[in-house]
Amino acid sequence: MTKVSVVMNCYNGAAYVRSAIESVYAQSFQDWEIIFWDNASTDQTAAIAKSFDSRIRYFCSAENVPLGHARRLAMAECRGEWIGFLDSDDLWYPDKLEKQLSAIAQCPDDTVLCYAGVREQLMDGTLIREALPRSSSGDIFAQQLVQFDINMVTPLLRRASLETFKLTFDDRIQASEEYNLFMRLLAKGPACIVNECLGIWNIRAGSLTDQSIARWATERRLTLEMVREENPGIDRHNAEAFAAAEQRACYYDARYQMAEGKGKAARASLSASNKNGLIYRLLYLLTFSPFAWRLAHSDIVRRRISKFLFKAR
């Protein structure tokens, strides 16, 4: 059995995809396959992917579909013991797989997921921050429910765990696919954490749309409901964490309402959480100044101050 299947979804990524693929070929650990899912690209993506050897298994969608749906289709083709992900404009460090698999070997056999830190940078290479995991190896479900910090560049998912618990990306989730799947998986077993950066997440300025923000609150609540249904009693054992996650959904409501110019509605969404911590009180006050709200939520400012915000309680 192949050790690692690398899911690479791509739509019109010809400008970047060769570098992403080459970062997998440069791995010090070489027992892998790439499941390349071309999401109906119209540029030279197909030609670039097919220019490599047979370790890339190329698939092309008949039509462009949401990312979570494309990932689900690609995962169904995976043959590896572990499944990783690499978007067409991101990169892996050469020792990424070697270090994670070495760490996994020291973790319990029921470990369901492994992830590491990432270098977050703009497309021109300008460093935003180096984001390291806040958790240590073990049961991290409650911590991640409060403050989800798992990137999409470094995770490895145990394929047997996904199959045993019948977990995959849910087509209803289109703005927070990884949060939904990873939280449902973490409810089933421990995680392995590598506390160093093992990949590069290239961030395109302004890529976040109001449409995706509009879905965050609904999808957060749907994920919590799915976790409850799949794990009866888990909310009673993690009551504080579930309450914090519900508060975050209210903040997401406010985030979208502010984007729509509805400050009063945003304050109503934050009113309950307003009494439950300094950060929510500050956010409530920011709703009175749309300029200050937008500044605090700009990509670079938000990421650079994020280590001080929403810390696990």
Side-chain angles (χ1 to χ4, degrees):
M1 178 190 297
T2 302
K3 190 69 173 180
V4 180
S5 293
V6 184
V7 170
M8 186 174 290
N9 289 98
C10 185
Y11 174 66
N12 287 347
Y16 316 106
V17 69
R18 183 176 296 278
S19 294
I21 294 173
E22 288 175 346
S23 77
V24 179
Y25 274 79
Q27 291 297 301
S28 56
F29 179 86
Q30 283 287 304
D31 185 11
W32 49 260
E33 64 173 0
I34 293 177
I35 306 301
F36 193 97
W37 197 271
D38 184 344
N39 199 359
S41 296
T42 57
D43 62 2
Q44 294 300 306
T45 290
I48 294 171
K50 292 176 180 179
S51 71
F52 290 83
D53 62 29
S54 61
R55 284 185 290 177
I56 289 188
R57 298 170 57 209
Y58 176 86
F59 300 86
C60 187
S61 176
E63 60 181 356
N64 186 266
V65 298
L67 180 57
H69 182 70
R71 284 177 174 155
R72 178 174 63 78
L73 295 174
M75 284 175 61
E77 301 293 339
C78 291
R79 301 182 296 203
E81 180 182 349
W82 293 88
I83 299 176
F85 303 89
L86 184 62
D87 286 344
S88 59
D89 52 0
D90 296 329
L91 301 169
W92 282 357
Y93 289 174
D95 55 357
K96 187 261 190 195
L97 289 179
E98 180 181 2
K99 287 189 172 181
Q100 285 187 271
L101 292 170
S102 177
I104 288 169
Q106 306 302 314
C107 289
D109 292 340
D110 62 345
T111 296
V112 298
L113 179 152
C114 176
Y115 77 105
V118 290
R119 173 189 169 95
E120 296 181 3
Q121 64 181 37
L122 299 179
M123 296 301 294
D124 63 3
T126 301
L127 175 66
I128 298 175
R129 65 170 180 167
E130 290 191 340
L132 296 176
R134 294 176 177 143
S135 303
S136 300
S137 295
D139 179 3
I140 66 170
F141 172 79
Q143 292 171 288
Q144 293 299 315
L145 202 60
V146 174
Q147 177 55 50
F148 185 76
D149 73 348
I150 304 177
N151 55 77
M152 201 58 198
V153 179
T154 65
L156 295 176
L157 314 185
R158 189 186 295 275
R159 185 162 65 93
S161 299
L162 294 169
E163 293 176 349
T164 296
F165 299 113
K166 296 180 173 56
L167 298 177
T168 189
F169 289 103
D170 190 296
D171 288 352
R172 294 172 294 175
I173 307 294
Q174 297 184 23
S176 54
E177 304 93 342
E178 66 277 11
Y179 176 80
N180 178 272
L181 178 59
F182 294 173
M183 290 310 308
R184 292 163 63 208
L185 184 58
L186 288 172
K188 302 298 186 182
C192 174
I193 313 298
V194 179
N195 195 34
E196 62 178 292
C197 291
L198 293 179
I200 295 174
W201 180 9
N202 283 308
I203 296 170
R204 304 186 191 190
S207 60
L208 188 62
T209 67
D210 289 349
Q211 184 177 7
S212 66
I213 295 173
R215 300 183 65 93
W216 284 355
T218 299
E219 293 186 2
R220 170 62 61 104
R221 294 180 177 110
L222 176 57
T223 294
L224 296 178
E225 185 57 33
M226 293 173 71
V227 171
R228 291 187 183 98
E229 290 178 356
E230 294 168 356
N231 306 273
I234 195 171
D235 51 343
R236 293 195 300 274
H237 297 297
N238 298 276
E240 185 176 349
F242 269 86
E246 294 282 1
Q247 286 181 346
R248 185 63 67 90
C250 293
Y251 159 68
Y252 290 152
D253 281 328
R255 182 96 180 260
Y256 178 64
Q257 288 155 350
M258 287 298 292
E260 293 289 293
K262 300 176 180 177
K264 184 175 181 180
R267 287 188 285 279
S269 294
L270 287 170
S271 60
S273 301
N274 177 26
K275 303 172 184 176
N276 295 322
L278 175 62
I279 295 302
Y280 285 108
R281 287 196 290 273
L282 290 174
L283 288 168
Y284 183 87
L285 292 174
L286 285 175
T287 62
F288 289 96
S289 172
F291 172 78
W293 178 276
R294 287 194 300 271
L295 179 63
H297 288 85
S298 63
D299 281 350
I300 294 178
V301 171
R302 179 173 53 84
R303 291 180 185 280
R304 285 181 172 167
I305 67 173
S306 64
K307 65 181 180 179
F308 302 111
L309 301 178
F310 298 120
K311 290 186 177 179
R313 296 186 294 275

